[in-house]
Amino acid sequence: MKNSPEGLAGYRRGVERIHGTWRAFLDKRAERLEQQRRHGVAAERVAENILEDLFTQVLDWPLADLNNQVGYADLLLSSLGIKYLIIEVKRPGALAWNRRAVDRALDQALRYAAEQKVLRIAVSDGCMLYAADIKGGGLRDRVFVSLESKEPPERLWWLSLHGIYRMRVDTRGAALDLLSRREGPVSAETPPTDDALLHPKYKVPARCFAHVGDAGNTASWKLPYRTADDSPDAKRLPKAIQAILSNYRGTKVSGVPEKDIPDVLVRLAQAAMSLGRMPHQSGNTAAVYVQLEAVLRQLGRLDEVLGA
């Protein structure tokens, strides 16, 4: 596949390292989580320690490149002064089985990334790890792994020192998911916080917009298309699509840079797919979705939607 890293010597070494260290990582992780099994809860610091083991032992990051509490960011990975990844960390079990908690953590990470001009974010609770690139005014899946997996997750290489700066084209298996609930103690749900930034008009966070210029500036949030519970908004979605397609190839569309429009259209089409509105899903779909499919085919981006 084009842009596949498999031909790189650095990729092969990285994958060998993941395979060679994964068993020891799982054993050490189990030791760190012993207090959760003993007391029913573990502190956020335990998850931070698990991630430190992951990035410095399974992956190839020097310990000196892991930075704690830079600004409001729990963990920042940098190399030679370049900031590569901000990670929002929650206590063990707080995210793995709770989509609302994951969404809140992503909102936080997006704001911190905007403040520090970082182009990649991740969230983790020591049980799961999800990372995404900030691209085209939204998030593009980069890596999703269960940190409980018995099989070494080779896709972790995309978060390694030599993989983090490369664009991942084939994102199969990278979409955010929830883990199957296991037996045993699970951390209580992280209580909602009242500091979530909401749009003053629509009363939803940044993730509900198809394009976000700056996660800390609501004026830059354009094209609302999801509800507060992160499900596609059936009323606003076609309006968001039409707002772009009616002015397609304009310099800017509702404040959205032209270079970001293909990513925005993919984002909107993926939401339409989840509602079953795309032409191949329904013989009686609205014209706006037919037009959307045609434009995506023209842009060479339709496969990203059909394979979602």
Side-chain angles (χ1 to χ4, degrees):
M1 178 175 289
K2 185 179 179 181
N3 294 325
S4 171
E6 295 179 3
L8 301 174
Y11 175 80
R12 294 192 294 270
R13 288 194 298 269
V15 168
E16 288 175 4
R17 178 172 177 142
I18 291 169
H19 278 267
T21 58
W22 190 248
R23 182 68 259 174
F25 166 76
L26 290 180
D27 291 343
K28 191 170 184 180
R29 177 181 176 276
E31 290 182 32
R32 292 195 181 281
L33 288 171
E34 185 59 35
Q35 61 180 280
Q36 185 182 40
R37 285 183 282 272
R38 186 183 303 123
H39 302 295
V41 67
E44 185 176 296
R45 181 60 184 170
V46 173
E48 292 177 353
N49 289 338
I50 290 171
L51 292 175
E52 180 179 298
D53 296 338
L54 179 73
F55 282 100
T56 62
Q57 297 175 20
V58 178
L59 298 178
D60 52 358
W61 288 87
L63 183 59
D65 287 349
L66 273 63
N67 309 276
N68 299 94
Q69 299 299 323
V70 178
Y72 291 102
D74 291 326
L75 189 61
L76 169 67
L77 272 59
S78 64
S79 179
L80 301 176
I82 301 173
K83 299 177 180 180
Y84 284 106
L85 180 69
I86 278 180
I87 308 176
E88 179 64 19
V89 185
K90 301 299 181 184
R91 65 178 182 267
L95 301 180
W97 305 278
N98 188 328
R99 181 57 190 256
R100 286 183 299 173
V102 170
D103 288 337
R104 289 195 296 268
L106 285 170
D107 286 341
Q108 288 179 275
L110 271 171
R111 295 203 304 273
Y112 306 154
E115 292 168 1
Q116 301 193 43
K117 305 297 187 291
V118 179
L119 299 180
R120 300 166 195 85
I121 62 170
V123 296
S124 179
D125 60 355
C127 299
M128 56 77 80
L129 172 65
Y130 170 72
D133 299 325
I134 301 172
K135 185 176 184 294
L139 295 180
R140 179 182 174 87
D141 299 328
R142 187 173 186 86
V143 170
F144 175 80
V145 295
S146 165
L147 299 182
E148 301 178 334
S149 172
K150 291 182 172 58
E151 294 298 320
E154 296 181 0
R155 54 190 175 276
L156 271 174
W157 180 83
W158 290 101
L159 299 180
S160 70
L161 186 61
H162 298 290
I164 191 70
Y165 60 85
R166 300 178 187 274
M167 184 177 73
R168 184 175 182 183
V169 177
D170 179 8
T171 59
R172 286 175 294 182
L176 175 62
D177 198 1
L178 297 183
L179 304 184
S180 298
R181 187 174 288 278
R182 64 184 179 188
E183 295 182 359
V186 176
S187 179
E189 177 179 346
T190 302
T193 58
D194 57 7
D195 63 349
L197 185 59
L198 302 180
H199 192 278
K201 177 180 179 181
Y202 298 106
K203 308 302 181 185
V204 292
R207 66 176 180 274
C208 298
F209 291 78
H211 189 275
V212 176
D214 181 341
N217 177 12
T218 59
S220 73
W221 303 359
K222 305 298 180 181
L223 304 173
Y225 78 114
R226 289 187 178 275
T227 62
D229 67 0
D230 206 41
S231 59
D233 189 322
K235 293 183 178 180
R236 288 177 176 157
L237 176 61
K239 295 178 182 178
I241 297 169
Q242 192 60 49
I244 293 180
L245 298 185
S246 62
N247 295 289
Y248 184 53
R249 292 199 180 281
T251 303
K252 287 190 176 181
V253 180
S254 300
V256 179
E258 184 173 354
K259 66 180 179 59
D260 291 344
I261 286 177
D263 289 312
V264 171
L265 289 175
V266 168
R267 204 166 291 133
L268 294 171
Q270 289 170 338
M273 276 277 291
S274 69
L275 293 176
R277 302 292 174 83
M278 295 300 283
H280 72 282
Q281 296 175 297
S282 171
N284 190 32
T285 192
V288 66
Y289 298 109
V290 175
Q291 187 181 5
L292 174 60
E293 183 180 84
V295 171
L296 286 171
R297 183 177 289 109
Q298 178 190 118
L299 294 172
R301 302 288 297 270
L302 185 59
D303 286 348
E304 296 177 46
V305 177
L306 300 181

